[in-house]
């Protein structure tokens, strides 16, 4: 067992961000603005060299130059040097592969906070479970909630949750990221925060499908409302706190993801609703659409715990091209009538 993180008496000085996507980049920018020296590591040497030369992530978060306190690294040993906190911004399905490469360079006992949302297909583990499975015991937490990267980079008001079983780690992340435009709440419900973040991407796919077929606001409101019930049902089976699903990591993240015009999962669902095949949507998107692999993994997790998730099941049939979006909605609407 790793020892609990002690309450820090001085501000965080040095951090490492693993991952060069939009969320990894915006985390680096926020930490740098808060006075932290940040080492940003990319799994792709060519992109790392481009970032270092252009001092801006034109591919994933254009219009936000890097301050001098952010350095770009390719070698893991250099990236981890002096780190007091590590942010893992690697998409869930790639955490195992990336961190298997980084394992030998990881400085033991440095806390890692994951910002990716999903469930690993083969193991049904969430991000903060995959990390110790690869590295071994380590202090781990999650940072989650309604946090669209471009809005956060533009200093638009945002509130999220830092979760860890270790109060000290949750408070460390809370202090490191909080500022005048980003408010961070602390939580001990790590499993609830992780499940909420993973599941909302599946519901967002469904919300996009509703938009794509023009089903209307009534349908979308019903979808979001019953989606929260579905997510909370699974969370309860896994031991999560019911309050988590009514808060920022639950309802908050779900609403943002389901209404944002730039959200990858909602946008992917909308294209599917308009007639594109799942494979075509994936091929046309340069970012990872987390909800697509998570849908199947979540159904397996639900089956393991005997939890009914009809919306998730309907999304799975559409993604697999088994039924049309309209037929999937018809089946949901004509299920056996129940008490809410």
């Amino acid at each position: 067992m790793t020892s609990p993180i002690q309450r820090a008496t001085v501000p965080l000085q040095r951090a490492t961000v693993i991952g060069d996507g939009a969320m990894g980049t915006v985390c680096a920018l926020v930490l740098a603005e808060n006075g932290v020296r940040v080492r940003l590591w990319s799994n792709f040497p060519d992109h790392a060299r481009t970032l270092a030369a252009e001092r801006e992530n034109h591919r994933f978060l254009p219009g936000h130059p890097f301050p001098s306190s952010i350095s770009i690294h390719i070698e893991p040993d250099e990236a981890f040097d002096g780190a007091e906190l590590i942010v893992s911004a690697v998409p869930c399905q790639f955490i195992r592969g990336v961190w298997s490469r980084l394992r030998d360079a990881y400085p033991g006992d440095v806390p890692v906070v994951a910002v990716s949302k999903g469930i690993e297909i083969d193991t049904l583990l969430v991000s903060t479970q995959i990390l110790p499975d690869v590295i071994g015991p380590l202090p781990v937490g999650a940072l989650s909630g309604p946090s669209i990267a471009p809005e956060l980079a533009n200093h638009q008001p945002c509130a999220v949750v830092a979760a860890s079983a270790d109060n000290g780690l949750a408070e460390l992340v809370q202090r490191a990221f909080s500022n005048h435009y980003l408010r961070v709440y602390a939580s001990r419900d790590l499993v609830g925060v992780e499940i909420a973040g993973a599941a909302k991407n599946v519901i967002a796919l469904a919300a996009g499908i509703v938009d794509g077929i023009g089903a209307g606001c009534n349908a979308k409101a019903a979808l979001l409302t019953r989606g929260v019930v579905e997510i909370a049902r699974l969370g309860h089976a896994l031991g999560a706190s019911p309050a988590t699903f009514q808060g920022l990591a639950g309802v908050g993240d779900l609403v943002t993801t389901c209404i944002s015009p730039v959200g990858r999962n909602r946008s992917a669902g909308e294209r599917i609703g308009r007639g594109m095949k799942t494979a075509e949507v994936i091929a046309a998107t340069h970012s990872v659409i987390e909800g697509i692999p998570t849908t199947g993994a979540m159904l397996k997790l639900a089956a393991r715990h005997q939890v009914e998730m009809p919306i998730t099941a309907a999304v799975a049939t559409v993604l697999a091209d088994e039924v049309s979006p309209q037929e999937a909605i018809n089946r949901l609407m004509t299920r056996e009538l129940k008490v809410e």
Side-chain angles (χ1 to χ4, degrees):
M1 285 288 294
T2 54
S3 59
I5 305 295
Q6 298 299 313
R7 197 179 296 252
T9 57
V10 294
L12 186 73
Q13 300 292 313
R14 295 177 296 278
T16 297
V17 175
I18 302 298
D20 61 2
M23 189 52 63
T25 301
V26 79
C27 283
L29 289 168
V30 171
L31 289 170
E33 288 186 47
N34 288 357
V36 180
R37 298 199 66 82
V38 180
R39 292 173 178 251
L40 177 63
W41 181 85
S42 172
N43 192 40
F44 307 98
D46 287 345
H47 193 226
R49 283 186 280 269
T50 298
L51 293 175
E54 298 180 350
R55 302 297 300 168
E56 184 176 330
N57 195 336
H58 290 287
R59 182 178 185 187
F60 293 110
L61 198 64
H64 300 281
F66 297 158
S68 60
S69 53
I70 295 178
S71 56
I72 312 300
H73 297 270
I74 299 172
E75 298 300 327
D77 289 332
E78 291 181 4
F80 286 133
D81 186 33
E84 301 166 75
L85 176 69
I86 299 168
V87 178
S88 177
V90 180
C92 183
Q93 306 304 328
F94 300 95
I95 290 176
R96 187 172 299 276
V98 169
W99 276 93
S100 293
R101 286 186 54 205
L102 299 175
R103 179 172 48 213
D104 292 341
Y106 166 72
D109 289 337
V110 176
V112 179
V113 58
V115 296
S116 50
K117 303 168 183 177
I119 299 174
E120 192 174 36
I121 296 173
D122 294 332
T123 65
L124 307 186
L125 299 177
V126 293
S127 299
T128 55
Q129 294 169 332
I130 301 168
L131 287 164
D133 197 46
V134 174
I135 301 169
L138 78 161
V140 66
L143 186 64
S144 190
S147 48
I148 296 171
E151 292 187 12
L152 190 52
N154 286 329
H155 296 185
Q156 293 175 268
C158 177
V160 295
V161 177
S164 177
D166 183 333
N167 283 338
L169 175 50
E171 291 175 10
L172 172 66
V173 175
Q174 183 181 37
R175 290 191 302 273
F177 280 90
S178 293
N179 56 32
H180 70 279
Y181 60 87
L182 177 59
R183 182 173 176 82
V184 183
Y185 290 82
S187 169
R188 293 201 67 181
D189 186 16
L190 183 56
V191 65
V193 167
E194 284 264 66
I195 289 297
K200 62 92 183 178
N201 285 329
V202 178
I203 306 302
L205 284 169
I209 291 170
V210 166
D211 289 340
I213 66 174
C217 295
N218 290 339
K220 195 166 186 179
L223 172 72
L224 267 64
T225 305
R226 297 308 301 173
V228 172
V229 173
E230 196 163 296
I231 296 168
R233 191 184 294 146
L234 178 61
H236 176 74
L238 296 170
S241 168
T244 296
F245 302 98
Q246 304 304 319
L248 288 166
V251 172
D253 206 1
L254 178 66
V255 169
T256 296
T257 307
C258 290
I259 66 174
S260 170
V262 300
R264 291 190 300 270
N265 293 282
R266 193 214 60 81
S267 298
E270 184 173 7
R271 292 196 291 274
I272 291 169
R274 290 177 176 173
M276 286 183 72
K277 300 297 184 184
T278 303
E280 295 172 339
V281 172
I282 294 172
T285 308
H286 66 262
S287 298
V288 176
I289 306 168
E290 298 96 334
I292 292 177
T294 296
T295 300
M298 186 160 296
L299 279 181
K300 291 179 183 177
L301 191 59
R304 176 184 292 178
H305 294 275
Q306 298 181 317
V307 174
E308 185 182 22
M309 301 190 76
I311 296 173
T312 303
V315 171
T317 62
V318 173
L319 293 180
D321 299 323
E322 294 175 2
V323 301
S324 68
Q326 187 62 60
E327 176 60 24
I329 290 177
N330 289 343
R331 291 182 182 184
L332 284 172
M333 294 298 292
T334 55
R335 294 172 67 242
E336 181 183 352
L337 298 176
K338 298 181 179 181
V339 175
E340 186 178 33

